[in-house]
Amino acid sequence: PAQLKAVQHHLRTAQEHEKRDPVVAYYCRLYAMQTGMKLDSKTPECRKFLVKLMDQLESMKTELSDDDSITQEVVGNAHIENYALKMFLYADNEDRAGRFHKNMIKSFYTASLLLDVLSVFGELSEENIQHRKYARWKAAYIHNCLKSGETPE
Amino acid sequence: TGSVGASVASAEQDELSQRLARLRDQM
């Protein structure tokens, strides 16, 4: 639903990680669920959507019940943070080496989405807030440069 | 009927909040 547009990219990231890293998929959905409930849990279309998302989360949690990243919040936090920083560092290395391409733009953007997801564990650190801001800005900036044929600085 | 609709919506919302709390509880 349009009211939940703010979490559509997090849900897409969840889908993309379904096989590759189900823990990432789970926490992206948990973030979307929590945020979605704050945005709109009253209108029928949003309620229907959120109930379906909750069903999915509960079944994922059952499937992943042996994974410490799901059963222990602190392990989950570390998993998502490490993954986000890995994405960030890959994109940052490409950027510093002057290699600008779609994949690195996506890595910057995914890192920023996963830093949003970290907020399910509590308030973000100042460092993570800065990384998120930088990653989001870099993704937009390089994307625009490539689109207009400019070389990013 | 408006108030019935509103209370159904509120009950469903509560159920969702409870399910979310249970999901987070076991973490």
Side-chain angles (χ1 to χ4, degrees):
Chain A
Q3 299 93 309
L4 305 181
K5 206 178 161 209
V7 293
Q8 70 172 345
H9 295 289
H10 304 85
L11 288 171
R12 194 191 301 151
T13 305
Q15 247 170 8
E16 288 167 356
H17 286 79
E18 200 81 74
K19 295 259 156 60
R20 211 190 316 170
D21 194 326
V23 172
V24 167
Y26 177 81
Y27 283 110
C28 284
R29 290 196 175 113
L30 183 60
Y31 171 82
M33 183 75 214
Q34 289 192 174
T35 309
M37 281 177 70
K38 282 182 210 150
L39 290 170
D40 186 348
S41 61
K42 288 192 177 122
T43 57
E45 67 269 27
C46 286
R47 270 211 312 275
K48 197 175 157 196
F49 184 87
L50 291 171
V51 165
K52 217 172 142 191
L53 183 58
M54 182 61 85
D55 291 342
Q56 204 175 13
L57 274 165
E58 287 169 347
S59 97
M60 281 185 90
K61 186 159 183 181
T62 308
E63 275 168 35
L64 300 169
S65 58
D66 290 340
D67 195 320
D68 287 349
S69 298
I70 299 296
T71 54
Q72 294 177 48
E73 196 158 335
V74 67
V75 184
N77 191 344
H79 186 101
I80 301 300
E81 193 167 13
N82 285 340
Y83 195 93
L85 293 178
K86 205 167 81 180
M87 289 262 147
F88 183 94
L89 284 176
Y90 163 74
D92 193 47
N93 281 336
E94 292 297 284
D95 185 24
R96 288 171 200 275
R99 292 189 290 266
F100 307 108
H101 47 91
K102 272 190 182 171
N103 211 18
M104 61 92 78
I105 296 172
K106 184 157 187 183
S107 290
F108 265 135
Y109 190 58
T110 304
S112 79
L113 294 173
L114 292 174
L115 290 167
D116 286 336
V117 170
L118 271 187
S119 67
V120 303
F121 305 107
E123 266 191 43
L124 290 190
S125 67
E126 194 49 43
E127 197 187 8
N128 281 333
I129 292 173
Q130 290 308 320
H131 275 129
R132 179 173 65 178
K133 196 175 163 190
Y134 181 84
R136 202 156 285 170
W137 175 76
K138 271 285 178 185
Y141 169 70
I142 299 169
H143 172 79
N144 288 333
C145 285
L146 294 188
K147 211 171 142 189
S148 62
E150 283 171 54
T151 305
E153 284 175 31
Chain B
T1 54
S3 70
V4 172
S7 58
V8 169
S10 152
E12 285 177 358
Q13 210 178 323
D14 284 351
E15 198 209 319
L16 215 49
S17 302
Q18 281 168 16
R19 285 173 73 185
L20 181 61
R22 277 200 298 273
L23 200 73
R24 304 269 347 229
D25 246 8
Q26 297 152 11
M27 269 182 22

